[in-house]
Amino acid sequence: MARILKSKELNNTKLATNYGGWMYCDKCNENIGYLCYSTYDRLELKYKCCCGSTGNVLLDFEDSKIGKQCKNELIIIKNRYCCPKDKNPLITILDKKVLNYEMKITCKNCENIYAKVK
């Protein structure tokens, strides 16, 4: 079942599909990561691409839950950031394509908000 977006803000960023899939820098068209379609509820991402461009993404859905702040770290499984509770993949950020980033992502299943800064 397709989800209905409540907020979608993409600055200097393109998504392969409406709310998931491969993410690209608008300036250089390089792939900066992959956003899993069905496992996240909300994403806030700010990044600086290796080409010098800065971009940001805000995505959430009409059926998104508020989410709970947590201090747990995302775990990495096969280069994907995953929820430590259910091991579901949430997002991949290609570190070799971005200089730095700040991210908050909410897991759809456990409703925890995970933060990551690089």
Side-chain angles (χ1 to χ4, degrees):
M1 179 170 94
R3 299 181 77 191
I4 299 170
L5 283 166
K6 177 173 66 175
S7 301
K8 182 177 182 179
E9 295 176 26
L10 301 174
N11 293 310
N12 298 324
T13 308
K14 293 184 287 192
L15 286 176
T17 64
N18 193 29
Y19 55 82
W22 295 107
M23 300 182 294
Y24 299 92
C25 170
D26 238 358
K27 182 177 179 186
C28 66
N29 285 321
E30 285 290 331
N31 180 347
I32 61 162
Y34 184 85
L35 180 59
C36 299
Y37 294 91
S38 60
T39 56
Y40 79 97
D41 238 2
R42 179 180 173 88
L43 171 67
E44 295 177 57
L45 173 67
K46 295 178 185 175
Y47 68 91
K48 184 167 187 177
C49 182
C50 288
C51 74
S53 178
T54 57
N56 64 292
V57 176
L58 170 62
L59 296 166
D60 74 355
F61 302 92
E62 287 188 358
D63 63 347
S64 291
K65 305 289 189 278
I66 297 292
K68 307 172 292 238
Q69 295 291 333
C70 77
K71 295 185 185 206
N72 296 337
E73 295 280 327
L74 292 165
I75 59 173
I76 297 176
I77 301 173
K78 294 183 182 178
N79 87 338
R80 298 179 184 128
Y81 286 117
C82 300
C83 175
K85 286 191 168 212
D86 60 19
K87 312 278 189 294
N88 279 329
L90 299 169
I91 191 169
T92 300
I93 303 290
L94 300 174
D95 286 337
K96 63 185 176 194
K97 302 290 177 105
V98 295
L99 297 172
N100 56 57
Y101 60 89
E102 291 179 36
M103 171 179 65
K104 287 183 184 177
I105 191 164
T106 305
C107 176
K108 184 177 178 188
N109 290 334
C110 72
E111 301 175 10
N112 281 338
I113 301 169
Y114 298 98
K116 179 76 179 161
V117 177
K118 178 199 174 255

